[in-house]
Amino acid sequence: MHLQRSSHDVDDGLRASLQRITRTHDDAGLRGHVPGDEPGWVGCGDLLDEPDRLARWRERLDGWLARRYPEAAGIPERVSASWILSWYLHVPAYAGAMLLHHERRVPALTPSGLAFRIGDDRPHPESVAVLGEEFSCLPTDPGSGHPGATVVRDERALAALLRARFLAHASRFIRLYGPMTRLGRRQAWAAATDALDNALWSAGRLGGTPEAEGAGVADAALVLDARFPPLTSASKLRLAPGPDGHREWTRNRESCCFSYLLPAESECDGCPRIRGKS
């Protein structure tokens, strides 16, 4: 469900959008600033400017996995490499998906315009901050007169802009991170595809109703209506019989998280290792 504003308001900027989303979904983990009294926040731009910080984040994950799996002789390199890959790509995908779905707005999604908080225990992005006031919106948006707003013609143009901005951010990250791992280029872009498709789906599911979830699926179909290389597929969301026999939304993954390499773990549902491409 998209939030409605009743009047034209040049003060209705991006921070107002984020506040509305948070008021409606207090578990969204989305902010318009970095709290000064909360440790663990890191800017995406800082990570990309200082690759050593990415390496330290991965080392922290290795330590967490070693504590979680003490029986392991060592944590396989591909596990932490793929988890950091997916976790980082989630940040621009989630920020863009949430604002598109709930506000019909697309932020800049530049590395300098995003930050996230790494969890105290499990070192994953538990909150995302969208910084600055630049956004694109539809002509009917009540905030279209805001100094930070750029108006586009329709929803298809807005979806294309989200896709392009996510691709630009992901490209910069993958160029930097790829040589730091033994993951291939296809794995990296498969993870980017999963991040964007999942984020759009999740933005709808946050509403807690079948109708809200269906709206998220529709957004995924709008943004990923075809394969846009280097992304590896169109949206993979589809209806399938659930455990109770009723049809429910699901998707097959494009990328592998390699968790099956950990003790007593197996491939995830929808893992590309155990199915043919659909």
Side-chain angles (χ1 to χ4, degrees):
M1 178 181 296
H2 310 309
L3 303 179
Q4 300 296 315
R5 283 86 72 194
S6 60
S7 62
H8 185 87
D9 185 356
V10 295
D11 293 327
D12 187 2
L14 196 60
R15 185 165 295 194
S17 283
L18 296 164
Q19 290 170 345
R20 282 191 291 270
I21 293 172
T22 300
R23 282 197 300 268
T24 306
H25 305 290
D26 57 6
D27 58 346
L30 201 60
R31 297 173 179 264
H33 68 289
V34 173
D37 58 349
E38 282 187 11
W41 283 91
V42 60
C44 290
D46 294 334
L47 277 180
L48 299 189
D49 288 340
E50 302 176 48
D52 285 349
R53 299 181 70 168
L54 271 173
R56 290 196 296 272
W57 184 21
R58 186 170 157 194
E59 289 167 2
R60 181 175 168 186
L61 173 58
D62 279 327
W64 182 82
L65 287 168
R67 292 189 298 274
R68 188 174 176 86
Y69 296 93
E71 67 275 32
I75 300 302
E77 185 270 347
R78 285 182 293 173
V79 177
S80 58
S82 66
W83 286 28
I84 293 295
L85 173 69
S86 294
W87 284 352
Y88 182 93
L89 291 168
H90 163 80
V91 173
Y94 184 71
M98 287 292 288
L99 281 157
L100 176 73
H101 180 76
H102 294 285
E103 292 279 306
R104 276 316 190 240
R105 293 178 172 183
V106 175
L109 295 183
T110 59
S112 62
L114 294 171
F116 60 96
R117 185 176 188 272
I118 298 175
D120 295 328
D121 179 20
R122 182 172 181 256
H124 72 294
E126 64 176 21
S127 298
V128 175
V130 182
L131 311 175
E133 281 287 0
E134 293 184 8
F135 64 95
S136 297
C137 64
L138 299 173
T140 54
D141 190 308
S144 60
H146 187 275
T150 299
V151 176
V152 301
R153 66 181 183 275
D154 55 25
E155 288 194 343
R156 186 167 293 278
L158 202 60
L161 197 57
L162 169 58
R163 188 173 59 246
R165 290 178 176 177
F166 172 74
L167 281 170
H169 191 143
S171 293
R172 183 176 168 190
F173 172 68
I174 289 170
R175 282 196 304 269
L176 174 71
Y177 188 64
M180 300 170 64
T181 75
R182 287 186 286 179
L183 302 175
R185 174 178 167 82
R186 194 206 181 274
Q187 166 72 9
W189 282 108
T193 307
D194 286 337
L196 187 55
D197 205 15
N198 274 323
L200 291 159
W201 184 21
S202 296
R205 285 192 294 175
L206 193 64
T209 66
E211 292 78 14
E213 181 179 21
V217 172
D219 282 344
L222 179 67
V223 175
L224 295 172
D225 60 322
R227 181 191 171 195
F228 295 92
L231 297 175
T232 57
S233 78
S235 175
K236 301 297 285 289
L237 286 159
R238 58 188 175 82
L239 282 169
D244 60 359
H246 291 93
R247 293 202 305 167
E248 58 186 34
W249 289 105
T250 187
R251 72 180 298 277
N252 290 332
R253 290 175 57 98
E254 282 287 289
S255 64
C256 181
C257 65
F258 298 103
S259 297
Y260 72 92
L261 296 174
L262 296 168
E265 299 290 352
S266 58
E267 288 88 348
C268 307
D269 291 342
C271 175
R273 285 178 48 82
I274 57 175
R275 58 169 172 78
K277 293 294 183 183
S278 61

